[in-house]
Amino acid sequence: MTDAPAHELDKRAIVKAYGRWAPVYDLVFGAVFEHGRRAAVAAAERIGGRILEVGVGTGLSLPDYSAASRLVGIDISEPMLRKAQKRISGSDLNNVEGLAVMDAAHLSFPEASFDVVVAQYVVTAVADPEATLDEFARVLKPGGEIVLLSRVGAEAGLRRALEQWLAPAARRLGWRTEFAWARYTQWAERTQGVRLIERRAMPPLGHFWLIRFAKAEATTASGNKHHAACAER
Ligand SMILES: C[S@@+](CC[C@H](N)C(=O)[O-])C[C@H]1O[C@@H](n2cnc3c(N)ncnc32)[C@H](O)[C@@H]1O
């Protein structure tokens, strides 16, 4: 049993849920979220360089990246990652540096390791969204971007009531139906050097958004700004 309140998620339940989803995930969630995934990849590739995909799952988005991007994928579910590994081998995706089982709230990468951190349909599916966003900001290079696809809950009305009613069932499936936009804005307000640069509704039904945060560029001693991906080019 879990101590988490009905609307919350705990790690054990998530691992269990995605272990069950892995065999059928692509069939159920492949096409329906394809538009969003492509939009997120396009946003990430405007920065390019070394990209971390958090909650990479079965690796559905990996073939959408250009050969020039260097990709690292992490996920808490080993069965989901096994599917991703098969996809990488089957499609010869040489731009994938590696995959690892890892908790998004405790990334084992040093700070400023990536030009972009991408998380598609993940923040509302982790046990601790704010700690996870903190980790995204930590491992991101100055001048880099966090690119999210996320469900955003309704603020009022019938849809909000429905989301709250569905919350316990959704939690068992491995995600939240309700997730207030304020959680993102409040996180950005208290996180130094991070600012919201875009939010755009995505299909299906506009319940999902593409959300981008930028991490402030570092200023060198001479006062010049230093951009993430440019640092290595
Ligand atoms: C809804 S799926 C999204 C998968 C993929 N990004 C996609 O676009 O289809 C959520 C993914 O987040 C992963 N996940 C949940 N909690 C996690 C955590 N704390 N750390 C890393 N991955 C996590 C799940 O295992 C699952 O693969």
Side-chain angles (χ1 to χ4, degrees):
M1 281 300 285
T2 169
D3 293 335
H7 62 287
E8 278 308 335
L9 281 166
D10 75 75
K11 213 159 45 175
R12 230 162 16 129
I14 293 164
V15 171
K16 207 168 149 191
Y18 285 97
R20 284 193 303 251
W21 275 119
V24 294
Y25 187 87
D26 292 2
L27 201 64
V28 179
F29 299 108
V32 72
F33 290 138
E34 195 175 295
H35 181 97
R37 287 193 193 93
R38 293 225 165 114
V41 170
E45 296 232 299
R46 282 203 291 272
I47 301 270
R50 191 166 185 239
I51 298 173
L52 175 65
E53 256 232 30
V54 177
V56 65
T58 61
L60 277 165
S61 62
L62 294 177
D64 294 337
Y65 288 95
S66 72
S69 295
R70 285 167 296 131
L71 309 171
V72 176
I74 70 108
D75 201 286
I76 205 164
S77 165
E78 207 175 334
M80 293 289 274
L81 278 187
R82 275 201 295 270
K83 290 266 177 184
Q85 189 55 59
K86 264 194 190 158
R87 190 182 307 276
I88 292 166
S89 313
S91 309
D92 275 337
L93 299 177
N94 299 320
N95 55 350
V96 182
E97 273 182 25
L99 299 177
V101 176
M102 203 182 288
D103 182 354
H106 303 281
L107 297 174
S108 65
F109 306 107
E111 62 185 65
S113 295
F114 298 95
D115 299 291
V116 190
V117 176
V118 179
Q120 309 187 15
Y121 312 107
V122 171
V123 173
T124 62
V126 299
D128 189 340
E130 283 77 11
T132 297
L133 291 168
D134 286 347
E135 279 294 83
F136 292 0
R138 184 185 66 78
V139 301
L140 189 64
K141 292 180 191 174
E145 282 187 21
I146 297 170
V147 178
L148 309 177
L149 281 170
S150 173
R151 184 178 183 88
V152 175
E155 312 223 320
L158 186 62
R159 201 184 120 203
R160 180 176 155 81
L162 200 62
E163 284 172 356
Q164 291 191 327
W165 182 68
L166 288 171
R171 187 180 64 137
R172 284 192 292 278
L173 294 173
W175 58 80
R176 294 173 182 80
T177 46
E178 34 38 287
F179 194 84
W181 171 242
R183 288 182 78 162
Y184 283 117
T185 53
Q186 285 166 8
W187 173 77
E189 271 163 27
R190 67 171 177 268
T191 306
Q192 212 186 350
V194 167
R195 75 191 162 88
L196 176 72
I197 52 173
E198 184 180 6
R199 68 175 235 198
R200 191 181 350 144
M202 287 282 139
L205 305 171
H207 292 185
F208 295 85
W209 291 3
L210 175 75
I211 302 164
R212 291 166 54 223
F213 294 101
K215 183 167 175 175
E217 291 176 355
T219 306
T220 62
S222 60
N224 294 329
K225 285 191 171 166
H226 200 56
H227 187 279
C230 299
E232 292 177 10
R233 287 177 180 164

